[in-house]
């Protein structure tokens, strides 16, 4: 059976690697709909190469450009466009490769309608974890993780029940500043932070990896995806990024999943998950080349974002959504030169400290909290800029 894909965020790092998976399996996959946010030219090239007839863009101006270039295409734009794209006819699986909380709406729309989602967009699970899990349970649709750590855990958990599990162990590369002193962290630049040692990712995810907020987001993501309490989710730094995560079982055994650090592997696994293992044409892991795998504890004094995430996860309610939105704003401000590196976790902490939790019951509740945290973070960044 040919599987129809909606690829949301097709122009980004995960989106492009998803297209590589399609190129490797043209007889089994068909791209029904793609979306972009700013790179309309790249979107047009993708639509032409994969003969895609439906596209979603940010605004009406972009929609005009697409209509001129692809007169036969159906073009969606505006606030509801991603959700509409996710519900397009012929879509069997939505690959959500959008960055940030913009991914919440289409994920929920797909799950509500009973459509499976291969989810790279971890911010969705962090900000709207309970809603997303409940929507999937209600409709029977599946959330299949694309994030390499969660893909690894899902693979290790196959055939086991939650009662078999003692704990989850998420691996972290440690990012570009793993060995940097606390003093050095005061002066690191955007290009230092973007130089990730093992993974090539979009800018926001790379900055999150440098602060370890990425691992914090992933701890919360793991809690919701696998229903494991926070005190049974641990993080270990593993600089080679060969073991993508592990599960510890109650009998003392651990299972790990290993591969070269190549996101096409977890993307392909997610797309074909119900078909078992499918041939992949990319580089294989050669353990004799790797030679050595090392592990160390994360340094939560130099990288406070990880503990902030545990704190928000444990506190529950709207705290994870607030942390996520404040972090998006702070990471973007760092990239724009408006905030120093240590200021990212600093701003997130201040936004969390000034938040009174509510229980977000609906999508609108989540979006309202997200908006509040963004406004608050921007105000604190401006204030911090004035006092420097
Ligand atoms: P990129 O920045 O490379 O790509 C983001 C994609 O989302 C682009 O297609 C972009 O469009 C689109 N986009 C950006 N902002 C918006 C918005 N406000 N509304 C709608 N679409 C938008 O990110 P990545 O591919 O690196 O990451 C995507 C997601 O996957 C993130 O949640 C990330 O955490 C997660 N992830 C990424 C990994 C990686 O290796 N890259 C690994 C694990 C998880 P355009 O380019 O046209 O502006
Ligand atoms: Mg990851």
């Amino acid at each position: 059976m040919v599987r129809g894909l909606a690829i949301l965020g097709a122009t980004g790092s995960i989106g492009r690697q998803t297209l590589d998976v399609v190129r490797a399996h043209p007889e089994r996959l068909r791209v029904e709909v793609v979306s972009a946010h700013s790179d309309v030219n790249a979107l047009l090239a993708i639509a032409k190469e994969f003969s895609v007839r439906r596209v979603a863009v940010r605004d009406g101006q972009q929609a005009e450009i697409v209509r001129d270039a692809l007169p036969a295409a159906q073009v969606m734009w505006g606030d509801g466009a991603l959700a509409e794209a996710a519900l397009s006819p012929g879509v069997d699986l939505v690959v959500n490769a959008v960055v940030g909380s913009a991914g919440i709406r289409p994920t929920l729309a797909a799950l509500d309608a009973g459509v499976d989602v291969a989810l790279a967009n971890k911010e969705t699970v962090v900000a709207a974890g309970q809603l997303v899990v409940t929507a999937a349970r209600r409709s029977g649709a599946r959330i299949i993780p694309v994030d390499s750590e969660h893909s690894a855990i899902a693979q290790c958990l196959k055939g086991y029940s939650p009662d078999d599990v003692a704990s989850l162990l998420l691996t972290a590369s440690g990012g570009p500043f793993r060995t940097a002193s606390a003093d050095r962290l005061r002066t690191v630049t955007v290009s230092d932070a973007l130089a990730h040692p093992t993974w090539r990712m979009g800018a926001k995810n790379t900055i999150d990896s440098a602060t370890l907020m990425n691992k914090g987001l992933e701890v919360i993501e793991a809690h919701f995806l696998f229903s494991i309490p926070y005190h049974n989710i641990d993080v270990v730094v593993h600089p080679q990024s060969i073991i993508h995560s592990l599960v510890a079982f109650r009998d003392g055994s651990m299972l790990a999943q290993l591969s070269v650090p190549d996101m096409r592997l977890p993307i392909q696994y997610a797309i074909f998950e119900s078909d078992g293992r499918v041939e992949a044409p990319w580089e294989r892991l050669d353990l004799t080349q790797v030679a050595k795998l090392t592990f160390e504890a994360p340094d939560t004094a130099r990288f406070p974002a990880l503990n902030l995430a545990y704190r928000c996860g444990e506190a529950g309610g709207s705290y994870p959504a607030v942390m996520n939105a404040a972090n998006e704003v702070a990471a973007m401000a760092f990239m724009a030169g408006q905030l120093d590196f240590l200021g990212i976790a600093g701003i997130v902490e201040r936004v969390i400290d000034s938040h009174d939790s509510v229980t977000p019951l609906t999508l609108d509740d989540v979006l309202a909290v997200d908006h509040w945290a963004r406004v608050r973070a921007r105000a604190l960044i401006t204030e911090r800029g004035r006092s420097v």
Side-chain angles (χ1 to χ4, degrees), residues 289-332:
Q289 285 290 317
V290 178
K292 205 158 130 185
L293 301 176
T294 61
F295 306 93
E296 59 200 47
D299 182 343
T300 52
R302 278 183 305 140
F303 301 103
L306 184 57
N307 276 351
L308 286 178
Y310 273 103
R311 181 181 146 199
C312 289
E314 295 274 11
S318 48
Y319 278 111
V322 163
M323 183 194 80
N324 177 64
N327 177 61
E328 275 187 54
V329 171
M332 295 303 160

Side-chain angles (χ1 to χ4, degrees), residues 200-222:
R200 295 285 155 268
M201 309 173 288
K204 192 255 177 186
N205 209 43
T206 309
I207 300 299
D208 287 350
S209 298
T211 57
L212 285 203
M213 180 55 92
N214 182 51
K215 215 45 58 180
L217 297 172
E218 291 181 356
V219 165
I220 299 176
E221 185 184 8

Side-chain angles (χ1 to χ4, degrees), residues 285-366:
L285 180 61
D286 178 346
L287 285 177
T288 58
Q289 285 290 317
V290 178
K292 205 158 130 185
L293 301 176
T294 61
F295 306 93
E296 59 200 47
D299 182 343
T300 52
R302 278 183 305 140
F303 301 103
L306 184 57
N307 276 351
L308 286 178
Y310 273 103
R311 181 181 146 199
C312 289
E314 295 274 11
S318 48
Y319 278 111
V322 163
M323 183 194 80
N324 177 64
N327 177 61
E328 275 187 54
V329 171
M332 295 303 160
F334 170 68
M335 281 192 273
Q338 296 156 0
L339 186 64
D340 55 298
F341 180 74
L342 294 179
I344 302 174
I347 292 293
V348 174
E349 183 168 20
R350 289 189 62 193
V351 175
I352 293 166
D353 284 344
S354 61
H355 180 62
D356 290 322
S357 187
V358 293
T359 304
L361 297 175
T362 64
L363 173 61
D364 284 345
D365 295 344
V366 172

Side-chain angles (χ1 to χ4, degrees), residues 31-290:
V31 185
E32 290 288 346
V33 51
V34 286
S35 86
H37 191 63
S38 56
D39 199 345
V40 178
N41 287 334
L43 188 75
L44 290 175
I46 291 166
K48 284 180 186 153
E49 179 186 344
F50 292 90
S51 307
V52 184
R53 282 167 311 209
R54 293 169 70 92
V55 302
V57 289
R58 184 183 59 212
D59 56 38
Q61 214 175 343
Q62 292 176 338
E64 280 309 309
I65 298 172
V66 176
R67 281 194 198 101
D68 283 348
L70 301 172
Q74 186 171 345
V75 190
M76 295 156 269
W77 59 275
D79 276 352
L82 289 181
E84 194 183 339
L87 300 180
S88 294
V91 171
D92 302 302
L93 179 72
V94 173
V95 180
N96 188 341
V98 165
V99 64
S101 54
I104 298 174
R105 220 191 274 259
T107 304
L108 275 176
L111 294 175
D112 278 338
V115 180
D116 291 344
V117 179
L119 193 65
N121 177 251
K122 65 191 82 179
E123 295 92 345
T124 284
V125 185
V126 174
Q130 203 51 56
L131 288 182
V132 165
V133 166
T134 307
R137 206 171 289 143
R138 204 181 292 134
S139 72
R142 292 175 328 137
I143 308 165
I144 309 159
V146 167
D147 214 349
S148 56
E149 295 77 3
H150 306 76
S151 175
I153 290 169
Q155 292 179 54
C156 295
L157 283 174
K158 277 245 153 168
Y160 293 101
S161 80
D163 287 347
D164 297 325
V165 176
S167 61
L168 308 181
L169 195 50
L170 299 178
T171 52
S173 71
F177 306 135
R178 179 173 63 88
T179 57
S181 68
D183 261 357
R184 164 87 183 104
L185 290 182
R186 280 181 222 292
T187 56
V188 293
T189 63
V190 175
S191 61
D192 295 333
L194 287 176
H196 196 279
T198 49
W199 293 100
R200 295 285 155 268
M201 309 173 288
K204 192 255 177 186
N205 209 43
T206 309
I207 300 299
D208 287 350
S209 298
T211 57
L212 285 203
M213 180 55 92
N214 182 51
K215 215 45 58 180
L217 297 172
E218 291 181 356
V219 165
I220 299 176
E221 185 184 8
H223 166 78
F224 283 111
L225 291 181
F226 304 112
S227 305
I228 299 288
Y230 286 100
H231 60 265
N232 289 338
I233 304 175
D234 296 317
V235 171
V236 64
V237 174
H238 165 50
Q240 296 82 17
S241 299
I242 296 294
I243 293 184
H244 299 301
S245 279
L246 310 92
V247 176
F249 292 94
R250 56 193 297 189
D251 63 358
S253 275
M254 279 185 167
L255 292 185
Q257 186 262 338
L258 290 75
S259 74
V260 290
D262 179 341
M263 283 307 296
R264 291 174 299 189
L265 300 177
I267 295 169
Q268 169 164 314
Y269 181 81
I271 290 176
F272 291 115
E273 202 260 354
S274 48
D275 301 347
R277 301 282 172 173
V278 171
E279 195 66 30
W282 304 295
E283 186 193 345
R284 301 289 156 128
L285 180 61
D286 178 346
L287 285 177
T288 58
Q289 285 290 317
V290 178

